[in-house]
Amino acid sequence: MSYRWEPASGAYSRTDLEHAGLLPAFESQHAAEEWLGLFYSDLLESGVAEVSLYEEDRSVYGPMSLDA
């Protein structure tokens, strides 16, 4: 299974996010959540306001705000 964060809103460029390595896939939900805890500020700086977590094509949860 593959998990990924998808931008849900904001003023971002998907291409820029891909080039910056900010749209990776993960083996587990736990790994995806740990990554978001480390890189949410990078997503914010890139214009992402909210993200949703997906397992393959199934929505796990979200959208959730990255702004504290």
Side-chain angles (χ1 to χ4, degrees), residues 1-66:
M1 288 181 226
S2 178
Y3 291 83
R4 71 185 190 287
W5 292 105
E6 283 293 324
S9 69
Y12 60 89
S13 161
R14 185 167 189 89
T15 302
D16 290 347
L17 294 174
E18 289 170 349
H19 287 302
L22 294 174
L23 296 175
F26 304 92
E27 294 283 324
S28 69
Q29 182 173 337
H30 178 75
E33 291 167 342
E34 279 189 344
W35 180 89
L36 186 62
L38 296 172
F39 290 94
Y40 76 93
S41 60
D42 295 320
L43 290 167
L44 271 172
E45 289 174 12
S46 296
V48 178
E50 297 178 312
V51 293
S52 295
L53 181 64
Y54 283 84
E55 175 191 14
E56 301 295 338
D57 291 329
R58 180 184 70 85
S59 175
V60 177
Y61 60 82
M64 63 180 205
S65 175
L66 295 177

